[in-house]
Amino acid sequence: MSTWFSETFPNVVYQGWGGDTGWGTAIFQTLFMTFWSAVFGGLLGLIFGVGLVVTGPKGITPNKTLFWILDKIVSVFRAVPFVILLAFIAPFTKALVGTQIGINAALVPLSLGVFPFYARQIQVALSEVDSGIVEAAQAVGASFSQIVFGVYIKEGRSEIIRVSTVTLISLIGLTAMAGAIGAGGIGNMAVAYGYNRFANDTTLFATLIVLIMVLIVQVTGDWLARKYNHK
Amino acid sequence: MTAPIISLKDIDVTFTPKGKTIHAVQDVSIDVQKGDIYGIVGYSGAGKSTLVRTVNLLQEPTSGSVTINGETFFSKTDNGATQKIKGKELKEKRRKIGMIFQHFNLLNERTVEENVLFALENNKEKEKIKKEKVAELLELVDLSDRAKQYPSQLSGGQKQRVAIARALANDPEILISDEATSALDPKTTRQILDLLKKLNKEYGLTVLLITHEMEAVKAIADKVAVMQNGRVLEKGSTLDIFTKPQAELTKEFIATATNQDQAIQAITDSETVKNLPADQTFAELKYTGNSTNKPLITSLYEQFGVVANILYGNIEVLQGTEVGSLLVILSSEKDNLDDALAFLASQNVSVNILKGAQA
């Protein structure tokens, strides 16, 4: 078996598990980038998404100016292709984390790249919360935070999980590009050690690993979304 | 007369979507006395829901004043000076005005008891006391056994009862019912109306009942206002409105609440009435209250020799007063008939001759 494997996939075996170019390292890098940019980008996206809903024309505190500003920020960041964003915000990244290359530096563009996408998704998810329920909450004198957390987020929970799943999957896609600024990861493995070296077996393996990651996220997301839906 | 618990004065609500001006509510003044069940009827789009939302300021009026329990919630005079409660104070006041809705508007991701508890989140009492209060409320609406279930597991009537429990959580003096029975079947509608009546009787809860069903008004309301195109066409006690409706729309609504129109139509079209002999008169007799106890028909024969053949009879009880209606064929000499009609008038029976002698 192992002879067959090393003969059929020589480059996969050549990369090894540990070390700078190993599979384990690449997987860890991808997970690390996905996790932390999901945390930062997710928080930012959640804040913007909630902001868009509450200040929107049908929101609980309509505010045309604030809505306009949030809306434009989201639109502009969404319009910039990620690979360009990586390069474009490099000075900002350097100011923030002290370097513009490497895995930590990648977290800045990844967070900024994913947040507008997530903000829009959250906006749509929360807009689907029945306005009658919001009105009922207002009628019992609920406060702003009770309406945001107790009604919008709690009632939209299942939908939020669903859009978070979609976002997380697209984030895994973005991390594949982070190799461009030396952050490593599975994407970098596929391109730098697979494609560039004509090592098709390495590319194939990298693809399989990403597919498995996406599958795990999708299945878990679907399960959670079902679990938290009592509609 | 004591000061009204709800006083809406010269309320205007105007919307201007995309430059167009829509007068949702125009110049409406309504006073609701404590302990009343006040019905507001009208077709959809009449402005009823917009009007009642001004009571707890879910909708701010464009002008007019809203006074609840003697306190000015909102006031905007023609010279533009606006006075209104807002922020924390508004939220506190809203808790004293319960509201229930057509589509129940329960929190889907919370159980029955959590829904009621949600209304108590701002209550500073201990968790244990709040839990007791929730249990009490669920007992009141007869849903104690459903406390741990989610709204999706309940029927429409049960959902509305949860909504009522939630609306009552902060011991409000006023309950706004916005088409609360419109999505329910007739039997469940009746149960919800009976529950509202019970709350009104036992706890002195003032109910503002918005509906397009005159049946609901007839069943429990003491007073009623009829709305169309943002205006109140007429208002008064349910008894007066039902027995002496003025506006065409009111008559239309009343006809939907009784089967009388169809009965009159069927009888008018019948062979008996079509081939009515010249010496006979087809008439509708209407009477209210005391006069129903007197043997009218017997008196007509004994005193005036007028024979009354009853084709249709209906008695309704409105606010505890009997309201009767009879369709009869009267046969007698012409002179006797005139005397008999005068007698009926003196007994507060209104006579509407549909066909015959004087029609």
Side-chain angles (χ1 to χ4, degrees), chain B residues 255-272:
Chain B
T256 61
T258 58
N259 298 319
Q260 215 149 311
D261 273 21
Q262 285 126 289
I264 292 176
Q265 198 54 49
I267 292 164
T268 311
D269 290 344
S270 71
E271 290 302 310
T272 328

Side-chain angles (χ1 to χ4, degrees), chain A residues 51 162 177 185 223:
Chain A
R162 210 183 56 73
M177 281 184 263
W223 174 71

Side-chain angles (χ1 to χ4, degrees), chain A residues 132 135 141 146 150 155 228 230, chain B residues 53 95 105 108-110 152:
Chain A
E135 191 180 38
Q146 281 165 347
E155 288 296 304
Y228 288 112
H230 292 100
Chain B
R53 274 167 178 67
R95 286 173 207 141
N105 296 350
N108 296 310
E109 301 299 329
R110 282 169 209 254
S152 61

Side-chain angles (χ1 to χ4, degrees), chain A residues 87-106:
Chain A
F88 175 68
I89 63 158
F92 173 70
T93 306
K94 187 162 188 187
L96 206 64
V97 294
T99 172
Q100 50 185 350
I101 52 166
I103 195 162
N104 287 328

Side-chain angles (χ1 to χ4, degrees), chain A residues 130-147 149-158 227-231, chain B residues 53 56 58 90-92 94-95 97-99 101 103-110 114 118-119 121-122 150-153 166-167 170 178:
Chain A
D130 185 354
S131 60
I133 299 178
V134 177
E135 191 180 38
Q138 287 177 309
V140 296
S143 67
F144 178 80
S145 66
Q146 281 165 347
I147 292 177
F149 294 104
V151 181
Y152 275 123
I153 292 186
K154 186 148 188 185
E155 288 296 304
R157 197 169 49 181
S158 171
K227 186 177 169 191
Y228 288 112
N229 188 359
H230 292 100
K231 256 188 196 164
Chain B
R53 274 167 178 67
N56 56 5
L58 283 177
L90 174 60
K91 291 185 179 87
E92 271 162 29
R94 273 181 182 162
R95 286 173 207 141
I97 303 174
M99 190 164 183
F101 307 84
H103 299 297
F104 326 121
N105 296 350
L106 296 176
L107 297 143
N108 296 310
E109 301 299 329
R110 282 169 209 254
E114 286 168 346
F118 179 76
E121 268 184 25
N122 291 290
Y150 283 91
S152 61
Q153 295 166 285
R166 178 177 66 181
N170 291 299
D178 185 13

